[in-house]
């Protein structure tokens, strides 16, 4: 006596491992064939089929005998393939977005590094007093803190910063003309 697919599905839904194994044995090849046609790739079909088989014990509890098991199983496979495509499309969009973000970040880093390199080179052209004062201010020190460190008045620090900015602008203008 051969047990029907519907009876095997009902038994498998109740936790009968033998019924589940028999159901898979009957339909695995057809399920794989459908997955292959849905994906167009052997490796994708193998992955999809395995994912479906792993999810079947849970999904069988929703089988209500309104359709043949094969029809229901094909619907499960089609839905799984759709879900996989949606996830892949979301992943690709996210990856591509991440790639654009990374390219922009690298370009921004390169621009920042170029600016830092230019500033370092230009500061070397300043007098020692202007360079030291500007270095302290660029290190987030207040004018009062810088004044204490280098032993001058706060007004002198302010003048030196102003003078350093003026000289840096002149250096930049000369480079832009050249």
């Amino acid at each position: 006596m051969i047990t029907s697919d519907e009876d095997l599905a009902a038994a498998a839904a109740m936790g009968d491992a033998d019924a589940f194994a028999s159901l898979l044995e009957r339909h695995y090849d057809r399920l794989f064939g459908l997955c292959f046609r849905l994906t167009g790739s052997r490796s994708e079909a193998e992955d999809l089929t395995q994912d479906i088989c792993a999810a079947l014990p849970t999904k069988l509890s929703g089988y209500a005998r309104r359709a043949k098991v094969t029809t229901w199983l094909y619907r499960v496979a089609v839905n799984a393939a759709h879900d996989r495509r949606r996830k892949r499309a979301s992943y690709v969009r996210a990856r591509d977005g991440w790639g654009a973000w990374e390219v922009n970040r690298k370009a921004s880093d390169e621009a920042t590094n170029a600016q830092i390199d230019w500033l370092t080179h230009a500061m070397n052209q300043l007098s020692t007093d202007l360079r030291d004062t500007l270095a302290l201010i660029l290190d987030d020190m207040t004018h009062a803190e810088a004044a204490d460190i280098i032993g001058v008045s706060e007004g002198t620090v302010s003048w030196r910063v102003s003078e350093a900015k003026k000289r840096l602008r002149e250096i930049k203008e000369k480079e832009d003309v050249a």
Side-chain angles (χ1 to χ4, degrees), residues 20 34 36 43 48 65 104 146-147 152 156:
F20 182 73
L34 174 63
F36 182 77
S43 63
L48 181 59
R65 289 189 179 225
N104 291 336
V152 297
T156 301

Side-chain angles (χ1 to χ4, degrees), residues 161-176:
V161 169
S162 176
E163 191 65 22
K165 287 179 180 180
K166 184 173 102 180
R167 300 264 170 88
L168 290 173
R169 272 192 299 277
E170 290 170 359
I171 293 168
K172 181 69 173 151
E173 288 171 2
K174 284 181 186 177
E175 288 177 2
D176 288 345

Side-chain angles (χ1 to χ4, degrees), residues 125-161:
Q125 298 176 47
L126 299 175
S127 69
T128 304
D129 290 342
L130 293 181
R131 183 177 56 241
D132 293 349
T133 303
L134 188 58
L136 291 170
I137 297 304
L138 290 174
D139 205 32
D140 291 329
M141 298 231 171
T142 66
H143 288 210
E145 292 168 330
D148 284 342
I149 291 170
I150 56 179
V152 297
S153 71
E154 193 173 334
T156 301
V157 169
S158 296
W159 178 86
R160 286 180 180 176
V161 169

Side-chain angles (χ1 to χ4, degrees), residues 27-139:
H27 299 288
Y28 186 86
D29 291 339
R30 267 195 281 172
L31 179 62
F32 174 79
L34 174 63
C35 290
F36 182 77
R37 288 186 298 281
L38 290 169
T39 63
S41 161
R42 182 172 186 80
S43 63
E44 283 291 314
E46 289 169 350
D47 289 346
L48 181 59
T49 304
Q50 289 303 312
D51 290 348
I52 292 166
C53 290
L56 271 181
T58 303
K59 291 193 176 292
L60 278 168
S61 64
Y63 174 66
R65 289 189 179 225
R66 286 189 288 262
K68 293 186 344 182
V69 168
T70 53
T71 303
W72 175 82
L73 189 57
Y74 274 37
R75 173 56 40 204
V76 168
V78 168
N79 288 340
H82 286 258
D83 289 346
R84 183 176 278 251
R85 281 188 216 111
R86 276 193 298 272
K87 285 177 187 174
R88 176 167 288 117
S90 294
Y91 171 77
V92 167
R93 281 192 305 275
R95 182 196 67 206
D96 291 348
W98 176 261
W101 179 86
E102 180 65 9
V103 166
N104 291 336
R105 185 192 65 78
K106 283 183 178 181
S108 176
D109 286 352
E110 288 172 10
T112 300
N113 289 339
Q115 290 170 344
I116 290 169
D117 290 346
W118 178 86
L119 184 58
T120 301
H121 175 71
M123 283 178 65
N124 285 331
Q125 298 176 47
L126 299 175
S127 69
T128 304
D129 290 342
L130 293 181
R131 183 177 56 241
D132 293 349
T133 303
L134 188 58
L136 291 170
I137 297 304
L138 290 174
D139 205 32

